[in-house]
Amino acid sequence: MFQKIRLRLTLLSGGITTLILIIMTLGYLYTSEKNLMQNRIFSWQSDVSSIAFNLEQQTVITHTWLANLEAGGNYYVSILDNNTPFLFNDRMNDTAFHDLVTDAWAYYYENGGALPENTISYRSRYKTFLLKKEQSYYCFVITLDKENVSENSTLKLLLIAPLRNIQHQIFQQRLVFMGIIFMALAAIWLFSWFFTGKLLFPIEENRKKQNQFVAAASHELRTPLAVILSCTEAMLEKPDIEPFAHDLSTVKSEALRMSSLIQDLLTLSSRDANHFPIQKASTELDTLLLDAYEAFEAMAHTKQLKISVTLPEDIIPPCNCDKQRIYQVIAILLHNAISYTPNGGKITLALTMQEKYFALSISDTGVGIPDEEKEKIFDRFYRSEKSRSTKGHFGLGLSIAYEIVAAHHGTIRVYDNESGGATFAVRLPICYTKRRKD
């Protein structure tokens, strides 16, 4: 129980902190990458303005000037003079460059009318667009109107800026932040685990002391209760006790109820202290079910309840379980069914075998269990609504049944019956290696 609570608190605190850290990191990366890209675009626009200014000043475009633009691989350049490639043939052998430029010019002429135009001067302007191939490229097309030439004479310069450098920079930044986040999360989860352990340690110590007190008190109470019961029974056997017979019977009944409560408390305290012995042995579950049927048949008859047993036609193999403990589970469920089923009702005990587990079920036609209470009825001391709260039930029986089934690595669930009432289904694995819960 302590480990479960510690794990849940660790998941809660670590999960919330992790979520906040991831959201903040993603927000920072988004803002950082956006600003990084925006700064790079501003840098490109500044270069475009400088290039346009140089074009306006130059009368001759030299190969050296173009080579300087492409130096370092920051840009690729292509020029059209009145739609005629300028110096294009010098790089015809470069297939990758040729394909890139061809695709860029094709995109420009297909979509140029929809692209916004930015004015540099009265003679020059440019348009931008993003070209996506195997890599992404940011493209600028500078249009320069020539002077002292015929009308509509223009010079177009295509400036292609590869995004691989900035993408590599963004990728490295993400890797760095992933490493930082990983180390931070590891520290957060370790801190959460040890912190919750420290936080719950006093509670766990108090719980252990409480369990020790309950176990010790229960043991001490058994002796005086045994004395009370023996004295009461002895007095009830005397012939002249008639005037006090009713009171003595009440004392005996209440003492038996207290003895049952003490036994339940001892069982649960043993489970909490991990001293819950399970003596596994080969057990015939059909025989166990029939024994329970015979033991409770008289009790059911007093309430005019019809009780029946359904067994598989084929012979089923024995179950490796604690016979006494599983019988205790069946007895708890069967006693509850008899207690909460109105007179004239019906109770059915059934046994089936599935591929990986044995299935025991106890069905009744009683008052049923509301949906909002189905997950609570296995909690200790939980009492259902008044219609199901009868004298003699302390809210521990189903808790004990759950702990026994869990110790066998099985499951116990409750379902509604179509005709009314409830069905408690117990599954015991044929072979198991670890605890499993639905």
Side-chain angles (χ1 to χ4, degrees):
M1 181 65 70
F2 172 76
Q3 293 298 331
K4 281 186 177 180
I5 296 175
R6 184 180 182 184
L7 179 60
R8 290 177 181 176
L9 286 177
T10 301
L11 291 174
L12 179 62
S13 60
I16 293 175
T17 307
T18 299
L19 182 62
I20 294 173
L21 180 62
I22 290 176
I23 291 175
M24 292 180 64
T25 302
L26 291 177
Y28 173 80
L29 284 176
Y30 173 79
T31 304
S32 175
E33 292 172 8
K34 184 178 179 181
N35 291 336
L36 187 64
M37 189 66 185
Q38 194 65 45
N39 291 336
R40 185 60 60 88
I41 291 175
F42 287 153
S43 176
W44 289 331
Q45 290 175 341
S46 176
D47 289 345
V48 166
S49 298
S50 298
I51 292 170
F53 178 76
N54 287 331
L55 286 175
E56 291 179 4
Q57 300 300 317
Q58 296 181 79
T59 57
V60 177
I61 299 176
T62 64
H63 180 79
T64 302
W65 182 73
L66 292 175
N68 290 334
L69 287 180
E70 293 186 340
N74 294 325
Y75 296 111
Y76 299 123
V77 180
S78 176
I79 299 177
L80 295 181
D81 188 1
N82 289 329
N83 296 324
T84 300
F86 179 72
L87 299 177
F88 190 80
N89 291 332
D90 289 351
R91 302 190 64 168
M92 284 298 293
N93 294 329
D94 191 342
T95 305
F97 174 79
H98 177 270
D99 293 340
L100 174 61
V101 169
T102 301
D103 292 342
W105 280 121
Y107 183 93
Y108 171 76
Y109 282 111
E110 290 176 5
N111 304 279
L115 298 175
E117 190 171 68
N118 302 278
T119 301
I120 300 175
S121 67
Y122 75 96
R123 292 179 53 198
S124 58
R125 53 205 175 273
Y126 72 92
K127 293 183 178 182
T128 64
F129 58 90
L130 183 64
L131 180 65
K132 293 184 178 181
K133 292 169 65 66
E134 293 80 5
Q135 299 181 22
S136 296
Y137 301 88
Y138 213 84
C139 301
F140 300 84
V141 176
I142 303 172
T143 302
L144 177 66
D145 296 328
K146 294 183 178 181
E147 290 185 336
N148 303 321
V149 295
S150 60
E151 188 177 356
N152 296 327
S153 178
T154 59
L155 180 73
K156 295 183 183 295
L157 184 144
L158 172 63
L159 193 68
I160 302 176
L163 296 180
R164 59 175 178 267
N165 291 335
I166 190 171
Q167 289 174 340
H168 180 69
Q169 186 176 353
I170 290 174
F171 177 74
Q172 286 187 322
Q173 179 176 269
R174 291 179 179 179
L175 284 181
V176 170
F177 270 87
M178 285 179 62
I180 295 174
I181 290 176
F182 179 79
M183 291 186 292
L185 291 180
I188 287 171
W189 283 99
L190 286 174
F191 173 78
S192 298
W193 176 255
F194 287 108
F195 177 76
T196 52
K198 291 289 184 181
L199 181 67
L200 294 174
F201 179 77
I203 300 175
E204 177 64 9
E205 288 298 308
N206 289 334
R207 188 186 69 84
K208 288 180 180 179
K209 292 179 181 179
Q210 181 182 7
N211 288 337
Q212 292 171 357
F213 169 77
V214 171
S218 299
H219 278 292
E220 293 298 325
L221 288 173
R222 294 175 74 177
T223 300
L225 271 177
V227 175
I228 291 172
L229 283 170
S230 62
C231 292
T232 303
E233 291 174 355
M235 293 185 67
L236 285 172
E237 292 175 358
K238 293 182 178 181
D240 56 346
I241 205 67
E242 184 63 27
F244 309 102
H246 176 72
D247 294 334
L248 289 173
S249 296
T250 301
V251 172
K252 180 181 178 181
S253 175
E254 293 302 315
L256 289 172
R257 289 182 64 235
M258 184 173 290
S259 178
S260 176
L261 173 60
I262 290 173
Q263 185 60 43
D264 290 346
L265 289 173
L266 282 172
T267 301
L268 291 174
S269 64
S270 297
R271 177 63 173 169
D272 291 338
N274 295 321
H275 299 304
F276 196 65
I278 298 294
Q279 305 296 331
K280 295 181 291 182
S282 180
T283 303
E284 302 288 345
L285 291 180
D286 50 358
T287 302
L288 207 62
L289 211 61
L290 290 172
D291 290 344
Y293 164 78
E294 294 176 357
F296 285 88
E297 186 177 16
M299 182 186 296
H301 181 71
T302 59
K303 291 188 63 176
Q304 301 177 351
L305 299 177
K306 182 180 179 181
I307 185 170
S308 61
V309 180
T310 301
L311 300 175
E313 297 180 359
D314 299 330
I315 298 176
I316 63 173
C319 176
N320 188 31
C321 65
D322 189 319
K323 179 179 180 180
Q324 298 301 323
R325 294 293 190 183
I326 298 303
Y327 181 85
Q328 185 179 2
V329 172
I330 297 173
I332 290 171
L333 298 178
L334 190 52
H335 186 268
N336 283 353
I338 293 173
S339 300
Y340 300 133
T341 301
N343 292 357
K346 181 180 179 181
I347 297 174
T348 302
L349 288 77
L351 170 65
T352 59
M353 179 180 174
Q354 305 297 330
E355 182 180 356
K356 297 182 179 180
Y357 56 85
F358 299 99
L360 293 164
S361 66
I362 291 88
S363 302
D364 62 55
T365 56
V367 296
I369 301 174
D371 292 338
E372 61 272 13
E373 296 185 1
K374 285 185 173 61
E375 297 297 327
K376 302 176 183 178
I377 58 175
F378 297 106
D379 296 340
R380 299 179 187 183
F381 295 105
Y382 180 78
R383 304 285 295 274
S384 184
E385 75 277 3
K386 294 182 179 180
S387 62
R388 292 186 63 90
S389 298
T390 60
K391 188 176 181 179
H393 291 267
F394 303 99
L396 293 177
L398 291 179
S399 299
I400 293 173
Y402 174 82
E403 296 294 346
I404 293 173
V405 173
H408 283 79
H409 305 269
T411 63
I412 179 169
R413 298 289 300 273
V414 60
Y415 305 95
D416 292 328
N417 294 332
E418 293 182 359
S419 57
T423 295
F424 282 85
V426 176
R427 291 182 177 181
L428 299 174
I430 296 175
C431 296
Y432 62 85
T433 56
K434 61 180 181 178
R435 178 173 177 174
R436 178 175 58 85
K437 178 181 176 182
D438 281 354

